[in-house]
Amino acid sequence: MEGSMTELSKYRFETAKSDLNTAKLLYELKEFRSSVNRSYYAIFHAMRSVLALDGLDSSKHSGIIAIFNQNYVRMGSFESGISKVIASAYRLRERADYQDFYIVTEQEASEQIEKAETIIGMVEKYLASRQEKE
């Protein structure tokens, strides 16, 4: 079972990196709303890659965020500031996807990509350290 959780974690992390690349391409095409969506999903899949190592998951985005914060941020595996970054990325994605007439700015899309890059970098280091311990 352990091997399968490791493989699931790797798959989810690769999905996160793919979503980030897609976000960057959409940004270049000036598709800022879609770029914000993919940047958020890069963060989401990165969090799920961490949770997979411990057999944790949730059917809701808010559940993934809560589990990540409770089990990894509060326990010191990630710096506390990451919680605010994740929360703001989630809120922006919700506004962009669900609020009528919400126009995502170039600045917002750029910042969302930066958030995703930061979190993916942190998760990559965490995953590498977990592999070293196993």
Side-chain angles (χ1 to χ4, degrees):
M1 185 69 169
E2 185 63 36
S4 64
M5 288 301 166
T6 299
E7 290 304 312
L8 179 59
S9 174
K10 287 179 183 177
Y11 174 79
R12 288 178 177 173
F13 190 69
E14 289 302 316
T15 300
K17 291 192 300 186
S18 176
D19 283 343
L20 178 58
N21 288 334
T22 301
K24 290 176 180 180
L25 291 170
L26 289 164
Y27 178 84
E28 292 300 319
L29 293 171
K30 301 200 180 304
E31 294 289 342
F32 302 131
R33 183 189 58 78
S34 295
S35 176
V36 159
N37 176 284
R38 290 296 90 198
S39 294
Y40 166 74
Y41 273 98
I43 294 167
F44 177 74
H45 290 297
M47 287 188 295
R48 288 187 75 218
S49 73
V50 171
L51 273 57
L53 291 177
D54 295 312
L56 303 171
D57 205 4
S58 175
S59 61
K60 295 184 175 192
H61 288 252
S62 59
I64 295 295
I65 294 168
I67 293 167
F68 185 82
N69 284 333
Q70 181 178 2
N71 291 283
Y72 302 96
V73 177
R74 287 192 187 134
M75 301 307 282
S77 297
F78 292 89
E79 60 187 57
S80 61
I82 196 173
S83 294
K84 289 181 182 179
V85 173
I86 293 166
S88 68
Y90 177 69
R91 285 191 306 271
L92 178 57
R93 197 274 307 182
E94 290 243 305
R95 283 192 304 270
D97 284 355
Y98 300 116
Q99 280 187 11
D100 291 332
F101 306 114
Y102 186 83
I103 306 298
V104 176
T105 67
E106 183 174 356
Q107 178 72 25
E108 287 172 318
S110 175
E111 289 172 1
Q112 189 89 321
I113 288 171
E114 289 175 19
K115 291 172 190 176
E117 288 174 329
T118 298
I119 290 171
I120 285 177
M122 295 170 93
V123 167
E124 189 167 37
K125 288 178 186 172
Y126 175 81
L127 295 175
S129 73
R130 284 283 299 256
Q131 284 180 336
E132 289 174 8
K133 293 177 185 177
E134 295 175 3

